[in-house]
Amino acid sequence: MNMRLVSGAPLIAALLLTGCTLSPLARQTAAFSSATSFVVDNSEDAFRSAVRRNDRVQSALLVARYDTQPMDPHAIKHLIDAEGLRTRRTVLDGLRSYAQTVADLAGGVSSKQLDDASAAVGSNLVSLGSAVSATTPVGIAITPEQANGASTAMKALGEFLISRKINGSLPKTIEAMDPSVDALCKLLLDDIAVLRRQSGNDYEVLLMEQDAFIRHAGKDLQPIERRAEIERLPQILAEKQAADDMLADLERCVRQLALTHHALAAAAGKKDAPSLTARIAELSATGQRLASYYQSLPTATS
Amino acid sequence: MSNKKIATLPTKAHATMTIATAMKTEKAPATTTTPATTMMPVATTAAAQAPVTSYDAIGDAINSYQQLFDTLGRAYWDATDMHSKDTIQGTREAVYEILTGLSRAKLEANATAYKALLPKIEHANKALEEIKEDIRTITKNINTAASVIEAISKVLAVAAKL
């Protein structure tokens, strides 16, 4: 039995086969996943900030009414209750998981597990050659190069099969998911519209309560205290503007996310990959800006 | 903070009833004080709408109350005496609470819509997991091939000793 292997052939086959895996989909899904993660993080932050800000206004009203219309502190009600926040977090985390898995699948044709399994095939072939030589008159000497060739061929075969599986199944899943992503983005946009209006109103009431406090405190405030309280007025307005800018950015980001997923679904069907690249670049930039904003913000609204 | 008198519009109670289906909250306050006369026509217009139950009607109610809230805001900063400011403040707070209730109602309605989306997202994630599992099977099959080769080697090694 001639078991001599042509060591160059598997390498050529490997190059041919792995070439199939470098699709536009594989190149873009990682960026899409990262941009989705930004949107999810920023949306969750926006919900939490909105609740904290509204709580703050209710506290201000509690203080303002304390002497004339006592209010039970237990009556303070969150803008979004725990269940509402949990539902949104579950859905958004589901979206994040989806994007991450799509990226893993599209970009993860090669894996350590496959490499290890392929390497084991080569090294075990060497052992098999030695065992056959020792027990039969057939002389089989498998060199390390040949074993490596066999491992590479096995890895290429594995990658080919995985790639075929991904290319066959993943685009369908992405296309099927597109209407759900669209619906989710519309819901998020509706939420953001509510949060923007509510945020503006919250700050307006805070501003008015602060002004009333200064007016009624009159000369009870020391000059330095009075100055500090008056200085809070423009600060509240600046916070209002910053919060609105952030929510407007988030709105743009969510719109981009929906368009990017449409483009991803099109790219999955190999229809419109270039527009996907542009969408992802815009989405990532907006998301990054939002993330920086939130990292600088939390204490301002707490 | 101030110790002003709170002027609460009757519109709050009315609005509460009209959006009760969606909100299930917002009780009418016990205290009702006559607000600044200049504000009444606007408030009455907003409150005089037919009871609203649909999502769009909530949107219309929000727009009306928002206009009132903004108008009261301008009036507050234009007012020059404490009494007028306090009166407007009380009225505006009442309108603010109505708007906040409407916001809660919309956010709560959206939460239900989010819940409806969840099975679809879970279904997609399950489909992706199945693809992952298929891929694991391919790797496992290669591992099996390696194991078979290893097993044959061991058998042959044992046979050589016989």
Side-chain angles (χ1 to χ4, degrees):
Chain A
M1 180 165 70
N2 186 1
M3 286 187 65
R4 292 189 67 81
L5 300 171
V6 183
S7 59
L11 290 172
I12 294 166
L15 287 171
L16 288 171
L17 291 174
T18 51
C20 302
T21 65
L22 298 172
S23 63
L25 186 65
R27 285 195 296 272
Q28 303 295 353
T29 47
F32 172 73
S33 169
S34 146
T36 302
S37 209
F38 277 131
V39 171
V40 169
D41 287 341
N42 290 319
S43 298
E44 289 178 356
D45 282 345
F47 292 130
R48 279 192 294 270
S49 293
V51 170
R52 282 201 299 268
R53 184 167 47 241
N54 187 255
D55 285 353
R56 188 176 151 200
V57 178
Q58 290 187 70
S59 296
L61 289 173
L62 177 74
V63 172
R65 295 168 177 181
Y66 197 78
D67 293 326
T68 55
Q69 192 185 17
M71 182 177 146
D72 180 357
H74 295 96
I76 290 181
K77 195 174 172 190
H78 295 313
L79 183 64
I80 307 173
D81 62 14
E83 175 67 16
L85 282 175
R86 196 164 37 245
T87 302
R88 284 168 173 82
R89 194 166 51 241
T90 305
V91 172
L92 289 170
D93 288 349
L95 179 68
R96 191 207 309 268
S97 170
Y98 160 78
Q100 182 61 56
T101 312
V102 164
D104 286 349
L105 286 172
V109 172
S110 293
S111 69
K112 189 177 180 311
Q113 288 86 348
L114 179 61
D115 290 353
D116 291 347
S118 305
V121 170
S123 64
N124 290 348
L125 269 179
V126 173
S127 305
L128 179 64
S130 307
V132 169
S133 297
T135 52
T136 69
V138 182
I140 297 175
I142 297 175
T143 65
E145 288 75 21
Q146 288 167 335
N148 289 346
S151 293
T152 309
M154 199 52 83
K155 178 174 157 58
L157 177 64
E159 287 188 355
F160 169 72
L161 292 173
I162 291 169
S163 170
R164 199 174 62 167
K165 178 72 202 166
I166 289 170
N167 291 336
S169 306
L170 194 56
K172 285 181 205 153
T173 307
I174 294 173
E175 285 179 76
M177 183 67 169
D178 201 41
S180 298
V181 173
D182 192 58
L184 175 55
C185 288
K186 280 181 180 148
L187 266 178
L188 276 173
L189 287 172
D190 198 59
D191 269 2
I192 294 166
V194 175
L195 296 187
R196 275 187 87 176
R197 191 191 61 248
Q198 187 62 41
S199 162
N201 293 348
D202 285 347
Y203 279 115
E204 277 298 317
V205 170
L206 281 176
L207 191 68
M208 190 172 67
E209 298 300 330
Q210 177 70 10
D211 180 69
F213 169 72
I214 296 164
R215 280 189 292 108
H216 286 275
K219 297 205 185 314
D220 291 342
L221 287 174
Q222 294 297 312
I224 292 173
E225 289 172 335
R226 188 174 167 79
R227 182 178 65 183
E229 293 301 329
I230 293 170
E231 278 174 348
R232 279 289 298 141
L233 294 171
Q235 282 170 13
I236 292 170
L237 272 181
E239 283 175 30
K240 178 188 174 190
Q241 187 60 55
D244 191 64
D245 288 347
M246 181 278 299
L247 286 167
D249 258 357
L250 182 58
E251 201 175 281
R252 273 191 291 277
C253 214
V254 172
R255 283 187 206 285
Q256 278 293 325
L257 181 70
L259 292 172
T260 305
H261 194 273
H262 289 322
L264 184 65
K270 297 180 173 44
K271 284 179 255 173
D272 193 19
S275 84
L276 174 62
T277 311
R279 299 261 178 238
I280 284 175
E282 285 174 48
L283 183 57
S284 297
T286 314
Q288 191 69 59
R289 199 161 60 244
L290 282 170
S292 307
Y293 174 83
Y294 272 115
Q295 279 156 17
S296 70
L297 189 67
T299 51
T301 53
S302 58
Chain B
M1 290 289 175
S2 79
N3 58 353
K4 66 200 164 21
K5 296 285 180 197
I6 303 300
T8 307
L9 283 171
T11 53
K12 183 175 182 187
H14 186 270
T16 302
M17 285 187 291
T18 58
I19 59 170
T21 316
M23 292 173 64
K24 302 171 193 162
T25 56
E26 292 294 312
K27 288 178 184 168
T31 314
T32 303
T33 311
T34 307
T37 49
T38 51
M39 300 309 154
M40 278 304 285
V42 188
T44 307
T45 305
Q49 293 175 349
V52 288
T53 51
S54 75
Y55 206 74
D56 287 345
I58 292 176
D60 290 344
I62 286 174
N63 289 338
S64 300
Y65 282 107
Q66 187 65 50
Q67 275 181 9
L68 176 59
F69 180 82
D70 295 340
T71 305
L72 288 169
R74 284 189 293 277
Y76 176 87
W77 294 107
D78 286 346
T80 49
D81 67 285
M82 289 257 280
H83 177 73
S84 300
K85 274 187 184 282
D86 285 349
T87 306
I88 296 167
Q89 181 184 358
T91 309
R92 199 173 182 224
E93 282 172 3
V95 176
Y96 165 80
E97 287 181 328
I98 292 168
L99 281 167
T100 303
L102 289 165
S103 292
R104 275 201 203 98
K106 276 205 98 177
L107 291 167
E108 209 172 301
N110 283 357
T112 308
Y114 278 109
K115 273 184 193 158
L117 266 180
L118 198 52
K120 290 174 186 170
I121 292 172
E122 284 171 347
H123 182 264
N125 283 336
K126 193 169 165 236
L128 293 175
E129 272 308 313
E130 281 168 8
I131 298 173
K132 268 176 130 175
E133 190 50 45
D134 287 346
I135 289 168
R136 273 195 284 269
T137 304
I138 291 168
T139 306
K140 198 175 152 196
N141 287 343
I142 291 171
N143 263 323
T144 305
S147 303
V148 168
I149 295 168
E150 190 184 13
I152 294 169
S153 303
K154 280 180 185 165
V155 168
L156 287 173
V158 170
K161 290 176 188 167
L162 296 176

